[in-house]
Amino acid sequence: MATAGDSRAAYKQDMVVSTRYRNDLPPPPMLPKLLNIETGGIDQYLTTTFASSLLKKEEPNIEVDAEGGMPIDMIGIPGYFLGDESAILAPENPAPLDPADLALMATPDQLRNANSKSNHVSFLRRTQYITSSQAARAELGARSSGLRPKSSKAMNQQKEPPIAKNDPVNIKRHIQKGFDIAYPESKQPDSAGPESSSRGPPPSSAEIEAWKNPVHPDNPKLTPVDYYPVLPDIEGGTDSGSYITVKFDKPPLPAAGGRRDERIDVSLLTAISNEEVVREHQAKVELYQQHPDLYADPGPEPYELDFMIPRTQSLVPVIKSKLDATNPSKDDTAGYDTDADGNPTFTFDRQRVYTPSRMGIADDKWRSVALSLVDGGSRSSSSSSGPQKAAYFYPIGQRMTLKPERRDAASQGGDVGTEHVDKVHLFVREPNEEEMYKRAGYRAEMDAAYREEVFAKMEDPFAGEKEEEEEDEDGDVREGVEERTVEANGRDADVDADGDADADGEPDLDAMDES
């Protein structure tokens, strides 16, 4: 700040100073070091990987117009606007390709396996399996035809062609080989011949020792606790012929006293359909069947599931004893409650309403199976004390994941048009004639002798109902459930334990009985 006399006003003046820094360091006393960095040379630009990586990095600058760069003018095509599209279709008898162009039609697999042998066997030549041994013999016969006969010494020195691992006959023989090792007493005699498809190849000493003293492939310190033969449960069939696996998004019941609530093991799932929703779904199904290219597949019929559990946990062991086929007192009425009419029943209350969030129906029900370890009678045969000791497998025909309906306690009755059941009275009984016929068909699928000797002679109890169903114009034929009453006020339902389905495909109750 500066002043210019007392009479003048004070003013400010900024001083601008330019500051420069100097670098007085001398230049380096040595020359710059040049390193030879290997860049791969021109060879790296001649590979396909370089072009592929360059294509991924550099986006093509292409301006696509409304016609995609391919203007199509249909005016000059003769007969097109008169309904004749033969001019734009490929000819039925195309001209043969030049021999020089046939090499360009080879597929990548043919180029990759150019040196491999080709049997030139048509895909639909015969409707039967062509095993590798049969194909090798046919090729051998084709080569030897027209040539001079070989000497017996040369024929003896010729080796049998190797058999592919995925050959059906080879798979069957190795399965039989496993049974021969596990059950030597059931092995077929040598009279069957070594080439018999029902006889397994001879096991090696290492395979026999591995069966006697098995070793875990990952942890050799583990030792087997017990052995179970894997068998189908031919007496454990259901009315539908398969089982359903159900998974909940969240635990359906909270833990009781820090332990899992065992009422889940004997719970029931009652399927309830909304008539209005079913009609809408049926209309979508008809549209999809008539015009599958215009409408999407609506999927399975939508429905809701009422989750029912016993009133108290003390009923769980009693219900399990009634469902145990080996329990001699399973048919006693001891342990049952009584309804208003004095009939013995187990009372189940509706806990919650669920809807399937994901549901899949298996094309092959034997692709996924469930195992049940049963410590029954003898390992080799069933006894009077119970079923044979084995790991029984059961087919899984459907999988579903359930999510609870987002409703409060006051609105758990369901949507308008859906009659939910508040209470179920359950009585366990033996299967009737119709149910026995359905489950006999399940056994007939696996047991050929039973199918020919027993099931073929059984009388079909549904023969008359099928004829009536065909003659019924409305198609409202109901079967299976002996009693299912719904009251308008209390919405109580009495059902039997067979849990069969109606003719329109609406299951009323999950199947629960001792068989």
Side-chain angles (χ1 to χ4, degrees):
M1 179 182 295
T3 61
D6 297 336
S7 61
R8 296 180 181 180
Y11 65 92
K12 296 180 180 180
Q13 182 178 2
D14 296 332
M15 179 179 292
V16 180
V17 179
S18 176
T19 303
R20 295 184 180 182
Y21 296 93
R22 299 176 58 186
N23 185 8
D24 297 334
L25 296 176
M30 74 286 290
L31 296 177
K33 183 180 180 180
L34 301 179
L35 299 178
N36 184 16
I37 301 176
E38 183 67 29
T39 59
I42 197 174
D43 294 337
Q44 65 174 343
Y45 303 107
L46 301 179
T47 61
T48 58
T49 57
F50 175 77
S52 300
S53 60
L54 184 63
L55 181 61
K56 294 178 181 178
K57 294 179 182 178
E58 300 294 336
E59 296 183 358
N61 186 13
I62 301 176
E63 295 181 0
V64 181
D65 54 4
E67 296 179 346
M70 300 174 60
I72 300 177
D73 188 5
M74 310 300 292
I75 296 178
I77 299 178
Y80 178 77
F81 293 99
L82 299 178
D84 184 11
E85 299 181 356
S86 59
I88 63 174
L89 298 178
E92 297 181 358
N93 299 320
L97 292 177
D98 190 89
D101 297 335
L102 290 177
L104 303 177
M105 303 299 293
T107 61
D109 294 336
Q110 293 175 349
L111 295 175
R112 192 179 299 110
N113 303 325
N115 297 327
S116 62
K117 299 179 181 179
S118 178
N119 295 329
H120 300 287
V121 179
S122 177
F123 174 65
L124 293 177
R125 184 170 65 103
R126 293 179 181 177
T127 57
Q128 64 182 10
Y129 279 112
I130 301 177
T131 61
S132 58
S133 59
Q134 293 175 352
R137 294 191 187 98
E139 181 181 3
L140 181 60
R143 290 183 178 181
S144 60
S145 61
L147 302 177
R148 62 180 181 179
K150 298 182 180 180
S151 61
S152 59
K153 182 178 180 180
M155 294 296 292
N156 295 333
Q157 292 179 353
Q158 188 175 9
K159 297 182 180 180
E160 186 73 17
I163 300 177
K165 293 183 178 180
N166 58 353
D167 184 31
V169 177
N170 185 47
I171 295 175
K172 181 179 179 181
R173 293 185 62 193
H174 278 77
I175 293 175
Q176 185 62 39
K177 174 183 176 180
F179 282 96
D180 294 343
I181 298 175
Y183 301 95
E185 64 277 1
S186 63
K187 184 178 179 181
Q188 290 191 2
D190 297 338
S191 59
E195 298 297 332
S196 177
S197 61
S198 60
R199 183 184 179 187
S204 62
S205 58
E207 293 172 341
I208 297 176
E209 181 63 23
W211 173 259
K212 294 181 179 179
N213 301 311
V215 179
H216 196 274
D218 299 330
N219 191 355
K221 297 181 180 180
L222 296 179
T223 57
V225 179
D226 205 346
Y227 301 90
Y228 292 85
V230 181
L231 300 174
D233 189 358
I234 57 177
E235 299 292 343
T238 61
D239 295 346
S240 61
S242 61
Y243 288 79
I244 302 175
T245 59
V246 178
K247 180 180 179 182
F248 295 90
D249 283 346
K250 297 180 180 179
L253 295 177
R259 300 181 59 184
R260 174 178 175 272
D261 197 333
E262 295 183 353
R263 289 182 292 178
I264 302 177
D265 299 338
V266 294
S267 59
L268 305 179
L269 287 173
T270 306
I272 305 297
S273 299
N274 190 321
E275 296 182 357
E276 182 178 355
V277 175
V278 170
R279 286 194 297 267
E280 295 178 357
H281 178 268
Q282 186 63 28
K284 295 179 180 179
V285 171
E286 294 177 357
L287 291 175
Y288 170 72
Q289 293 176 351
Q290 296 174 0
H291 307 284
D293 53 340
L294 300 178
Y295 298 93
D297 186 2
E301 181 179 324
Y303 57 88
E304 296 178 347
L305 294 169
D306 290 341
F307 180 66
M308 322 291 292
I309 58 173
R311 291 184 174 180
T312 60
Q313 294 193 23
S314 59
L315 293 175
V316 174
V318 181
I319 297 176
K320 289 184 177 181
S321 65
K322 301 299 182 183
L323 298 175
D324 187 4
T326 61
N327 183 16
S329 60
K330 64 180 182 300
D331 297 330
D332 296 343
T333 58
Y336 281 99
D337 297 333
T338 55
D339 57 4
D341 298 333
N343 299 321
T345 59
F346 291 117
T347 304
F348 286 72
D349 296 328
R350 178 164 57 85
Q351 180 73 12
R352 191 167 297 171
V353 178
Y354 285 90
T355 56
S357 59
R358 290 187 299 272
M359 183 167 52
I361 301 176
D363 297 333
D364 184 8
K365 64 181 180 180
W366 294 106
R367 186 174 182 84
S368 300
V369 296
L371 283 179
S372 177
L373 301 180
V374 177
D375 295 323
S378 173
R379 182 172 178 266
S380 60
S381 61
S382 60
S383 60
S384 59
S385 60
Q388 176 184 346
K389 176 183 178 181
Y392 294 98
F393 60 88
Y394 305 87
I396 303 299
Q398 185 177 356
R399 298 173 181 269
M400 66 171 60
T401 302
L402 303 182
K403 65 177 181 179
E405 278 291 321
R406 298 185 178 275
R407 305 189 184 106
D408 52 11
S411 62
Q412 277 289 323
D415 299 332
V416 177
T418 304
E419 295 182 349
H420 287 263
V421 178
D422 291 338
K423 190 181 300 182
V424 167
H425 300 286
L426 176 69
F427 177 77
V428 181
R429 59 166 176 79
E430 293 288 341
N432 55 28
E433 180 183 358
E434 298 176 352
E435 296 159 354
M436 290 294 293
Y437 181 80
K438 292 181 180 179
R439 299 173 193 189
Y442 168 81
R443 178 177 178 178
E445 294 179 3
M446 299 176 289
D447 192 347
Y450 179 83
R451 179 175 62 252
E452 297 175 359
E453 298 175 3
V454 180
F455 185 73
K457 301 177 182 179
M458 296 179 64
E459 183 179 357
D460 187 0
F462 300 99
E465 297 182 4
K466 292 178 181 178
E467 295 178 357
E468 294 178 1
E469 185 177 358
E470 294 177 355
E471 296 176 358
D472 192 357
E473 297 179 354
D474 298 333
D476 188 14
V477 179
R478 306 183 65 84
E479 61 178 7
V481 177
E482 295 183 355
E483 181 182 11
R484 186 178 188 277
T485 59
V486 178
E487 298 180 359
N489 297 328
R491 292 199 301 273
D492 292 352
D494 298 332
V495 298
D496 287 336
D498 60 312
D500 209 344
D502 297 338
D504 54 0
E506 301 178 3
D508 291 323
L509 190 66
D510 226 7
M512 291 186 62
D513 51 42
E514 64 273 26
S515 60

